[in-house]
Amino acid sequence: MKNKRHISLLLLLSAFVAIRMFATTPTGEWVTHMSYVNGQHLAISDNKVYCVASGSLFSYGLKDNAIETYDKISGLNDVYINDIAYSSSSETLVICYDNGNIDLMNKDGIVNIPDIKLKSLYGDKSINKVDIYNKYAYISTGFGIVKVNIEKEEIAETYKLSNGETNIVYGVAFLDNKIYAATDNGIFKADMTNNNLQNFANWSQISSINNQNLPVKGIITFNNNIIVAQYNSSDKHYYIRKQSTEDQWNVLKKTTVFSSFFTNNNILTIANGTAIRCYDTNYNETSISSYNFTSPDFPKQNSIWVHQAISVDENTFYVADQYQGLIYYSKSYDSECLSPKGPATNTIWDIDITNNVLRTVHGATTSDYNNTWTEGAYSTYRDNFWTYKARRNGGEAFDEYVGIVTDPQNVEHFFITSFGYGVIEYKNDEFIEQYTDDNSTIINAIPGSPRYYRTIGMAFDNDNNLWINNSSSTVPLHLFTPEGDWYGFDSKLLPSGMRYGTIVIDDNNSKWVATPYFGDGIFVYNENETYDDDSDDSERYFSIKSSSETISDNVYDIAMDNDGTLWVGSDNGVALYYSPTEIFSYTSNPVASRITIPRNDGTGLGDYLLDGSTVQTIAVDGGNRKWLGTASSGVYLVSPDGLNVVHHFTEENSALLSDNVRKIEINHETGEVFFATEAGLISYQADATQSNDSYDDLKVYPNPVREDFYDDITITGLIDETTVKITDVTGNLVNQMTSNGGTATWDATNFYGKRVGTGVYLIFCSNSDGSQSAMTKVLVIN
């Protein structure tokens, strides 16, 4: 019987050879898309070099050349890594976060030590440095030193170095049974044979060094000496000093920049931004100030900025570089960039997804839309591969990219708005034009200055005209036609100094514009398709009001759902306009509706959806469900009518990187939902896609379903609200569901929740009125 079953399985498998396979991320799974550009910290073990870049962690295999990334999905317990160190005796990587959280990672897994993060402590809890000595990790913080027993996976002791004001500690070093601490008020030391270092009286400040109270930003033990980086603000220099004897400190190097120390293989490596300086045990110096790249995937930089470097020997190094992440450098031949591919930065202000091509923009303004002059950059995610373009790698010298939209007729043609440099046009990743008052109707907020052309929101209408808003301007809306003509539209209602955000165009071609700051809710404009004649134009400008009160003046995002209802995200939750196309027929301020969620506690009372919360972004999926991103409570997925919460993702209960979610965008072809958070970009494979008009593209995946697969089986290419029936080959009904837009999922169980047995299962699909139907099949193996 066993052999017969094996043969039947082979026959079943062969029956599915001709089925077209469609692979994607399993439903319900998360994928991080972190930046690894800004290399900051390094650690090395026998097998791997670990690198923290842009606050994210990855490793490079010294023997197998494998690159591995680590994040919340793979078991880390936080984001924003501040420092790492490797304990050889415990074979453990100590990972420290800026909020005081600590992870210990070894071959057995990851152990979290959240004590610093969770406790109410006086002083700054962020971690500045971690140093390993014997079986302990010494964590330097804004309030003192925390000693962690790595083997016992617990905090052993906490040291405060003096009475009165708290010392900020930047690192520790060890020599002759003494511990030395670099602080913002000089160097402190203590005798480690003393069993009570928790008593600040057992710590003393070193007075023999010149200018003993100057901040010491780095410290390390090398060749039986203590080396420190002492900063003198009066002459803006760091003095790298060597302690030759207990009372004698000599200047080893004077430099304007200091990043870090590292010792390995009897070589002291000093990273000071523009160069790597190396010293042997006789303190002979060599330096590196540039490197060439062999990897074509990473554009060559004109300069280097080193945050840390590890010497393998006197000729080869691993470098944490600000512009390229992890670099392997060899004096004997060209060097190689080893970083994983990712976006340009983790600061993402907008996302566009068109025809499976995702683009993000990386500028920055303040939270209330004022200039910061952050380098503008955009990143592209195509076929699971990231590329980016920024000033640092040959991009244009513009700042603060805040919006992006792709030409619906050409996925390689896209426009970027800048909160300072107007509109930038690209085609095939080549810069085409910058639009300012020199060549368009865009208005400068400060005439004569080259960098106050404040544009944010954009949208294409059905005629492929591009609409753009213009903040701090007397002309709030502009039109750029496919023929290259520009038109500006004045407003008789709007005050000066306004900030404008998202643009949504309704079925009557009216432009709805959010006003997140210095505004009064929503601005609506319709030019009646007469671009040169404003006599027949219509406009409205109004607060978000219910029948009894003002809900909000600050509108962060607006979105039109699949039923033509306008959803509004504000600093006071969510409001709806059910008939937005009738906006100009109202004689007074239009009344917004709010969704009341029943408490179900017997009182008959309810609460408004996300009342009091700041909803920063709204996205509508193929099933007409709404994804709501908030400023402090993560993401909500609500039912089409908003009455039911399908999911509530936070950084505590999911892989979501931060509860501050700036932008949500959906790939409607795959159902993957992308969240641009304060901590970076992450995606979630949801169970809804854009619906189809027929069943011509019906697919099911995975197929076959292996015995070790326990995620949902996904059926795509469906018509909206398709009834999906699962039967066995004899026609017995096994399960049934209704699609979300173009997708339905099945967890391979029957009506009673029990997993089905091995066999072929038929999937029958029919639309709501029964006019269209289709059938496919799936093989389940147990």
Side-chain angles (χ1 to χ4, degrees), residues 548-684:
S548 59
E549 63 178 348
T550 297
I551 300 170
S552 176
D553 292 334
N554 290 321
V555 175
Y556 290 88
D557 201 16
I558 51 179
M560 199 76 69
D561 76 6
N562 301 339
D563 294 329
T565 298
L566 187 81
W567 286 64
V568 179
S570 74
D571 59 359
N572 192 23
V574 176
L576 285 74
Y577 292 94
Y578 286 104
S579 302
T581 55
E582 299 177 12
I583 183 64
F584 296 115
S585 66
Y586 299 118
T587 58
S588 59
N589 193 96
V591 176
S593 300
R594 304 188 78 180
I595 297 170
T596 302
I597 309 297
R599 293 179 181 174
N600 297 322
D601 58 359
T603 64
L605 300 176
D607 300 291
Y608 292 131
L609 176 62
L610 295 178
D611 188 35
S613 296
T614 297
V615 178
Q616 300 185 127
T617 177
I618 302 174
V620 182
D621 70 15
N624 206 27
R625 303 176 303 179
K626 284 74 184 180
W627 293 83
L628 310 174
T630 71
S632 59
S633 57
V635 173
Y636 293 81
L637 171 62
V638 299
S639 58
D641 58 9
L643 290 173
N644 298 300
V645 176
V646 181
H647 293 301
H648 177 204
F649 296 131
T650 69
E651 59 184 79
E652 294 296 325
N653 68 14
S654 72
L656 191 69
L657 299 172
S658 169
D659 287 338
N660 183 355
V661 181
R662 291 172 173 158
K663 183 68 176 179
I664 301 175
E665 192 68 26
I666 302 170
N667 185 336
H668 289 292
E669 295 188 30
T670 65
E672 192 170 10
V673 185
F674 290 81
F675 308 99
T677 76
E678 185 180 39
L681 184 66
I682 189 167
S683 65
Y684 174 80

Side-chain angles (χ1 to χ4, degrees), residues 208 225 242-250:
S208 57
N225 287 292
K242 178 171 70 74
Q243 183 192 38
S244 301
T245 66
E246 185 76 15
D247 298 320
Q248 183 180 357
W249 294 80
N250 299 323

Side-chain angles (χ1 to χ4, degrees), residues 327-486:
I327 294 172
Y328 174 75
Y329 172 80
S330 173
K331 293 180 180 178
S332 58
Y333 57 87
D334 286 343
S335 303
E336 185 175 2
C337 297
L338 304 173
S339 298
K341 306 300 185 294
T345 75
N346 288 322
T347 302
I348 294 173
W349 281 86
D350 198 13
I351 308 171
D352 177 88
I353 304 175
T354 303
N355 294 340
N356 279 319
V357 177
L358 179 148
R359 293 186 179 95
T360 64
V361 286
H362 313 272
T365 68
T366 60
S367 60
D368 58 352
Y369 283 91
N370 280 306
N371 296 93
T372 60
W373 310 121
T374 303
E375 174 193 37
Y378 74 85
S379 301
T380 303
Y381 185 59
R382 188 197 308 256
D383 298 327
N384 298 317
F385 189 85
W386 281 97
T387 58
Y388 71 86
K389 190 172 185 179
R391 180 188 307 160
R392 74 189 83 139
N393 65 345
E396 286 60 52
F398 304 133
D399 295 329
E400 295 189 87
Y401 287 176
V402 290
I404 184 167
V405 67
T406 299
D407 183 345
Q409 298 182 358
N410 183 357
V411 72
E412 305 303 335
H413 184 212
F414 56 96
F415 295 82
I416 291 174
T417 50
S418 165
F419 199 68
Y421 287 84
V423 177
I424 298 98
E425 181 181 8
Y426 286 92
K427 198 168 188 178
N428 298 317
D429 286 323
E430 295 293 330
F431 169 72
I432 300 298
E433 188 61 82
Q434 176 197 12
Y435 296 103
T436 64
D437 56 6
D438 288 334
N439 55 2
S440 76
T441 55
I442 294 172
I443 304 296
N444 196 346
I446 302 178
S449 171
R451 57 180 193 172
Y452 286 96
Y453 302 94
R454 292 172 165 172
T455 58
I456 299 177
M458 291 182 291
F460 277 97
D461 64 19
N462 290 331
D463 295 323
N464 217 42
N465 296 309
L466 179 63
W467 291 86
I468 304 151
N469 58 42
N470 189 180
S471 293
S472 306
S473 163
T474 58
V475 183
L477 269 178
H478 302 266
L479 171 65
F480 183 47
T481 70
E483 293 75 29
D485 298 322
W486 283 88

